[in-house]
Amino acid sequence: MQVLDGKALALKKRKGLAEKTAQLLAKQGIKPCLVVVLVGENPASQVYVRNKEKAAVEAGFESRILRYPETMTETDLLALLAELNQDLEVHGILVQLPLPPQIREDFVLEAIDPSKDVDGFHPFNVGRLWTGDPLRVPSTPAGIMALLEEYGINPAGKKAVVIGRSNIVGKPMAEMLLAADATVTVAHSKTENLAQVAREADILVVAIGRGHFIGPDFVKDGAVVIDVGMNRSPEGKLIGDVDFEAVKEKVSFVTPVPGGVGPMTIAMLLEQTFQAASETHPE
Ligand code: GUN
């Protein structure tokens, strides 16, 4: 069994990005700028946003976090996004999810300029991904594809099973594996005989949000297992959807939690922002 070390690859990518960012600034006077909009006080969101800011600053980006109270209106948020879309100094805009109930998520995501949509959640970017001509793509599945590539795992011709069908992870993951010529099954909470379906997978991606749900009965001998889960154990520890200790003897590769998919997500978000910055000011 080999551990897919997302922490190490993310560090390598961020280092490379810091060098490219220094060059972009020196040669073209452009400093990539990421704006993160945080509405309300969701504790998990606070942690994510802090981590994103730290990584952005370390890569040499300008990072702005705009914090608003839980009571912010949808109209005010849409007006803010219109301003940020117009601002030539802003290259990437990310509205942290979830949003409070008075704000409609789909309206907000559609109000972000697709070229600044570094989350890849705008329907324009979703369509571009599914038609095989991606512009901005969701960071978590992009980070997983980068991990597979780093370890020489080629999905072509392989059977991939994605458990989870969210717009953030499951659906774009399925498309990226399909684009890499895997045969893809998307399973979810309503799937019958889930363990049996999962056991078919050469590559199993798990994003269901239930701590240590996946044990050895879900895993084929020699499978590659990718764990997107971020759950708290009863003791308050960060744990994945996969019971790492229970499957490690059975798999060929597996991501740990923490230190697997999570750090890759942030590295890919920075790459998207760098891309947006270098494209909006062509040489
Ligand atoms: N909330 C949980 N994951 C994400 C993400 O990838 N992007 C945004 N904007 N919000 C999230």
Side-chain angles (χ1 to χ4, degrees):
M1 182 276 296
Q2 214 183 331
V3 171
L4 295 168
D5 190 343
K7 193 175 169 191
L9 180 58
L11 271 175
K12 186 167 108 178
K13 294 226 171 251
R14 284 164 56 187
K15 232 174 129 210
L17 206 51
E19 284 162 19
K20 288 201 297 186
T21 300
Q23 278 175 17
L24 189 68
L25 184 60
K27 289 199 181 133
Q28 291 175 252
I30 299 164
K31 188 171 187 175
C33 171
L34 172 66
V35 175
V36 176
V37 180
L38 179 56
V39 184
E41 314 261 316
N42 183 306
S45 292
Q46 305 268 355
V47 177
Y48 292 149
V49 164
R50 263 200 304 278
N51 289 340
K52 285 168 188 171
E53 177 176 49
K54 187 165 162 274
V57 170
E58 276 174 24
F61 290 15
E62 188 185 335
S63 165
R64 296 186 207 157
I65 301 181
L66 306 180
R67 294 171 197 273
Y68 294 92
E70 192 78 31
T71 52
M72 185 184 206
T73 64
E74 183 181 280
T75 309
D76 285 349
L77 180 52
L78 293 176
L80 170 70
L81 292 172
E83 248 176 67
L84 294 170
N85 285 341
Q86 293 295 319
D87 188 338
L88 293 177
E89 281 175 16
V90 173
H91 305 108
I93 304 169
L94 183 153
V95 178
Q96 188 65 33
L97 305 176
L99 288 165
Q102 75 276 15
I103 301 180
R104 288 167 294 183
E105 187 179 300
D106 51 347
F107 274 55
V108 168
L109 297 181
E110 286 179 40
I112 299 171
D113 182 328
S115 68
K116 299 188 180 190
D117 169 35
V118 286
D119 259 332
F121 295 164
H122 191 294
F124 175 91
N125 282 319
V126 177
R128 287 279 297 256
L129 177 63
W130 282 87
T131 49
D133 181 26
L135 180 67
R136 308 278 172 260
V137 296
S139 297
T140 299
I144 292 168
M145 295 307 288
L147 254 184
L148 294 177
E149 190 183 352
E150 176 74 8
Y151 284 85
I153 301 163
N154 182 359
K158 297 281 188 295
K159 188 148 179 28
V161 175
V162 178
I163 309 183
R165 53 176 157 175
S166 70
N167 292 329
I168 296 181
V169 182
K171 286 184 213 168
M173 184 80 261
E175 160 52 24
M176 288 179 199
L177 288 163
L178 188 60
D181 298 325
T183 302
V184 182
T185 300
V186 182
H188 46 79
S189 55
K190 300 272 169 36
T191 297
E192 290 182 4
N193 303 320
L194 183 60
Q196 191 186 328
V197 172
R199 266 200 313 272
E200 303 250 306
D202 302 307
I203 300 171
L204 179 65
V205 181
V206 188
I208 46 180
R210 292 169 74 174
H212 286 183
F213 185 77
I214 299 294
D217 48 328
F218 287 77
V219 175
K220 177 162 92 176
D221 271 331
V224 176
V225 178
I226 307 288
D227 187 354
V228 187
M230 295 248 250
N231 313 285
R232 290 280 162 197
S233 73
E235 300 81 42
K237 245 179 63 184
L238 181 65
I239 62 168
D241 291 347
V242 176
D243 188 344
F244 183 95
E245 287 301 319
V247 306
K248 70 178 185 193
E249 300 306 334
K250 221 175 163 187
V251 301
S252 58
F253 294 92
V254 59
T255 58
V257 175
V261 173
M264 288 303 298
T265 297
I266 293 185
M268 299 317 279
L269 172 69
L270 298 183
E271 281 199 355
Q272 300 281 315
T273 307
F274 178 86
Q275 196 68 29
S278 44
E279 281 169 15
T280 45
H281 304 262
E283 283 181 67

